[in-house]
Amino acid sequence: MVTRRTQGQPQPPSRLGEHLCRTYADDQERAQQVSALVRDGLARGQRVLYYADTQPTERVADQLRAEVAEAGAALERGQLSVESTADGFLRRLPFDPDLMIARLRDSCQEAVSQGWAGLRVIGEMDWSTRQVPGADRLLEYELRLDAEVLEDLPVTGICLYSHHAVTRAPAALAAAAHLDGADPADSAVTRYAAGGTQRARAGLAALPLRPGSGVRLVGSADLDSRTALAAVLTAATRMPASVVDVDLRDVDYVDAAGTAVLADTAAVLAGQGRRLVLHHAPPSLGRVAEMFPDECRDLEMTA
């Protein structure tokens, strides 16, 4: 049967890192944004690592030398590095969030040991729109960074997506999974909705849950968004946690199709000895669960 519990309001912990997303319309806008982001990172005393996707790294380095006064010296002393996504995100295929998260942690610890204030990683993410093995795990990677890297390490992760990329899965959901502020209104969800992202088309977006290991959904979980919901829950179930929390406070409606996806996910986790816990479930979800008690027996909801 459906389990219901009550709980207090958790308070988000202070974090050492940041996870940001920026989009660009063309190569010129991308170059301008990268120059500004690199300049800011150098001024903050961070070790700056830029992953270029399609451009030769030598050309990017030359552009930075021309646009950022400090770039030449920073490249010489090792504060700034330009690498390709093939040597970063895609060093080993299929793309594996576990490996990339471990690499970020190691790189940050190395930067701090060398005396830098932290690590700034700027990465072009349009590789996710190509037929890259493991690209379907990009959303998982974006959602896991908060809890597994940013809470205890001074890493500033900045993901660059082209406007072209954020109209296509899996990049659309991944681009929207950046909580730049404390409220969904300040997040990538709102900013990218006008650009035709998955949230705008499917009515659903996912954000990292703070605190905890899980996701915060925004929008509606219904027939139109069930594909997006399934992708989000697949990413969430890959998180290394015995309890996967899903915060539904910003979900205005869950229909039978959305409930079925949630129930299926809960059943899969139950078979693994794990739990799916739904927080702040809307009344519509409770009504559907009461109509189908057998199918929803593994659902666990908190008030």
Side-chain angles (χ1 to χ4, degrees):
M1 65 178 180
V2 176
T3 303
R4 297 179 183 272
R5 296 187 289 110
T6 59
Q7 66 172 26
Q9 283 282 9
Q11 295 300 315
S14 59
R15 299 180 313 146
L16 293 179
E18 292 184 285
H19 188 198
L20 312 175
C21 184
R22 299 292 181 264
T23 63
Y24 57 89
D26 51 36
D27 290 347
Q28 181 179 1
E29 185 178 4
R30 176 185 59 195
Q32 291 172 344
Q33 291 199 30
V34 169
S35 294
L37 293 168
V38 168
R39 186 180 298 110
D40 182 63
L42 297 179
R44 293 173 183 267
Q46 296 173 318
R47 167 89 164 85
V48 180
L49 174 58
Y50 177 47
Y51 286 121
D53 187 35
T54 57
Q55 299 181 94
T57 55
E58 297 82 1
R59 181 185 302 172
V60 175
D62 288 342
Q63 290 173 346
L64 289 173
R65 288 189 184 95
E67 297 295 330
V68 181
E70 308 86 354
L75 285 164
E76 290 294 328
R77 63 176 175 262
Q79 184 183 4
L80 171 63
S81 298
V82 179
E83 300 181 11
S84 70
T85 54
D87 293 324
F89 296 99
L90 309 179
R91 182 183 300 179
R92 184 181 300 177
L93 295 177
F95 170 67
D96 188 336
D98 292 323
L99 295 178
M100 193 63 198
I101 287 171
R103 191 175 303 144
L104 283 176
R105 294 189 63 87
D106 290 344
S107 297
C108 181
Q109 290 164 352
E110 180 182 12
V112 172
S113 71
Q114 294 172 346
W116 304 115
L119 177 69
R120 172 170 294 213
V121 179
I122 307 166
E124 296 181 23
M125 309 303 291
D126 276 27
W127 56 265
S128 62
T129 64
R130 303 192 293 270
Q131 298 298 314
V132 173
D136 60 313
R137 297 189 68 184
L138 177 60
L139 176 61
E140 173 194 348
Y141 167 76
E142 299 282 27
L143 291 172
R144 289 174 56 184
L145 281 181
D146 265 52
E148 297 181 44
V149 178
L150 306 180
E151 283 189 4
D152 65 333
L153 289 175
V155 175
T156 300
I158 306 170
C159 300
L160 298 177
Y161 289 89
S162 70
H163 291 177
H164 169 81
V166 297
T167 63
R168 289 162 172 76
L173 277 171
H178 295 73
L179 188 55
D180 293 1
D183 187 272
D186 299 324
S187 73
V189 176
T190 301
R191 287 200 305 275
Y192 303 147
T197 65
Q198 189 78 8
R199 165 140 169 74
R201 292 185 288 111
L204 187 74
L207 301 167
L209 185 63
R210 298 178 183 169
S213 181
V215 296
R216 181 173 178 177
L217 298 181
V218 182
S220 298
D222 52 25
L223 184 62
D224 291 336
S225 63
R226 63 178 176 178
T227 300
L229 178 61
V232 169
L233 293 177
T234 296
T237 58
R238 288 171 171 165
M239 294 177 177
S242 59
V243 177
V244 177
D245 295 299
V246 178
D247 191 326
L248 301 174
R249 75 183 68 199
D250 296 306
V251 173
D252 48 31
Y253 181 72
V254 181
D255 71 359
T259 303
V261 176
L262 290 166
D264 288 345
T265 303
V268 169
L269 288 176
Q272 300 171 354
R274 304 165 68 199
R275 295 161 52 209
L276 180 73
V277 180
L278 308 177
H279 303 270
H280 310 289
S284 54
L285 175 57
R287 289 194 294 268
V288 175
E290 289 174 358
M291 292 173 60
F292 302 98
D294 292 338
E295 292 83 353
C296 298
R297 61 184 176 275
D298 294 312
L299 287 182
E300 185 175 345
M301 292 184 278
T302 68

